[in-house]
Amino acid sequence: TLGTRRDFFFCGAIDLCMGVGRVLAACILVAVLVSGSRAFSIPCLGGALKLRSSEMPPAKRIGIVGAGIAGCSLAKVLKDKGMAVTVFEMGRGAGGRMATRKSREIPGLAINHGAPVFSASQEDFQRMLKPLIDSGSVKRWNGTIATLDAGSLQTSPSALGDAYVGAPDMSSVCEALLTGVETRFQTQVAGIERQDKEWLLRSKDEKELGRFDWLCVTSHTMGHPRWQRVFGFAPPLETLAGQHPQLSPLAEPLKDVVTTPVMVTMVTYPEAGPAG
């Protein structure tokens, strides 16, 4: 998805879901910026993306909307480059699809119901993971893939190669990436305005949330009709594009994004069966 201003770009997490009983295989960071002279390499689950900008000196104020793996990876790299980064997230914490459901009835039971496991095949992403592995926020996963089909259970080794999970839960990956980054959880960005060469973010009640030189949105939902159905008002990126037609090439394609529902069944047993 292409950004049409040098100080605004869209960063989307694309989930490759392969159905119940399989693995949420990858999360690809997509962000495109009008080219300049300085390059930034942003590691992500699907690979590394290089951003270029000649107008991005240290201490730029950058707002990121969304604390999933895409937003957190971006925040990590930009903070390490000396930028002043603030991440906004509607949920109670970081993670997005990197999520773990914990049982209130069964102490100690936790199931990764979003992305149960992930792989790291690109060198840039492997470098980003190394300190997380060293600190214990990420650990290798050596489990087995099981497929249940019409009562027949088949197991097979993972085909992901080097596979990992967050520790103690999947959100730990994003939480570790946000170390040292200013975060605003349980905060919905309902409006985006351009004022005095700054990006102004507002809440649903018109309260000012912050002003930034650069802005990154990490969810297509902020430009999708589903936003209107869920929250009762127009998607912020749609409204913004109406005020600044040059952003229409960014906002319009988001309206046509099609998502496929995936049913997740979380099952546990009173005791483990025999090995094999």
Side-chain angles (χ1 to χ4, degrees), residues 76-140:
K76 160 73 173 170
V77 173
L78 294 179
K79 182 190 77 69
D80 289 349
K81 295 293 183 180
M83 312 300 168
V85 181
T86 303
V87 176
F88 295 86
E89 167 60 44
M90 284 193 293
R92 291 177 294 178
R97 299 296 176 87
M98 306 284 282
T100 301
R101 180 68 59 86
K102 298 179 181 179
S103 171
R104 296 178 180 177
E105 292 77 21
I106 307 175
L109 174 63
I111 299 176
N112 297 336
H113 65 297
V117 63
F118 63 91
S119 61
S121 58
Q122 302 294 323
E123 291 184 3
D124 285 326
F125 187 52
Q126 290 171 356
R127 281 194 293 270
M128 176 178 277
L129 281 183
K130 187 179 185 306
L132 304 186
I133 295 172
D134 293 341
S135 68
S137 298
V138 172
K139 64 180 182 180
R140 290 186 179 274

Side-chain angles (χ1 to χ4, degrees), residues 208-220:
E208 183 175 320
L209 298 175
R211 293 173 178 264
F212 302 94
D213 302 306
W214 285 48
L215 178 63
C216 173
V217 175
T218 68
S219 172
H220 76 277

Side-chain angles (χ1 to χ4, degrees), residues 22-43:
R22 296 194 179 186
V23 177
L24 180 61
C27 178
I28 304 176
L29 177 64
V30 179
V32 180
L33 198 62
V34 175
S35 63
S37 61
R38 184 181 300 179
F40 295 91
S41 178
I42 299 187

Side-chain angles (χ1 to χ4, degrees), residues 256-271:
D256 300 324
V257 173
V258 177
T259 57
T260 302
V262 175
M263 300 297 293
V264 177
T265 302
M266 294 180 285
V267 180
T268 186
Y269 301 91
E271 60 183 25

Side-chain angles (χ1 to χ4, degrees), residues 124-232:
D124 285 326
F125 187 52
Q126 290 171 356
R127 281 194 293 270
M128 176 178 277
L129 281 183
K130 187 179 185 306
L132 304 186
I133 295 172
D134 293 341
S135 68
S137 298
V138 172
K139 64 180 182 180
R140 290 186 179 274
W141 182 79
N142 298 310
T144 299
I145 301 296
T147 303
L148 182 63
D149 185 7
S152 174
L153 178 65
Q154 297 182 347
T155 61
S156 61
S158 169
L160 293 176
D162 290 336
Y164 303 88
V165 293
D169 51 46
M170 290 300 284
S171 63
S172 300
V173 181
C174 290
E175 291 167 357
L177 291 172
L178 290 180
T179 300
V181 175
E182 180 181 353
T183 55
R184 301 277 296 278
F185 296 126
Q186 294 184 296
T187 302
Q188 181 189 57
V189 175
I192 303 173
E193 302 173 18
R194 184 69 173 170
Q195 287 190 8
D196 302 323
K197 298 183 179 181
E198 296 176 316
W199 293 104
L200 169 61
L201 305 186
R202 293 191 184 276
S203 64
K204 189 175 182 179
D205 59 4
E206 297 297 320
K207 177 182 178 182
E208 183 175 320
L209 298 175
R211 293 173 178 264
F212 302 94
D213 302 306
W214 285 48
L215 178 63
C216 173
V217 175
T218 68
S219 172
H220 76 277
T221 307
M222 292 190 72
H224 194 275
R226 184 168 64 250
W227 182 282
Q228 176 88 47
R229 295 195 296 269
V230 174
F231 300 114

Side-chain angles (χ1 to χ4, degrees), residues 53-70:
S53 173
S54 59
E55 301 181 2
M56 206 167 177
K60 274 278 188 179
R61 299 168 303 162
I62 302 177
I64 298 176
V65 182
I69 186 65

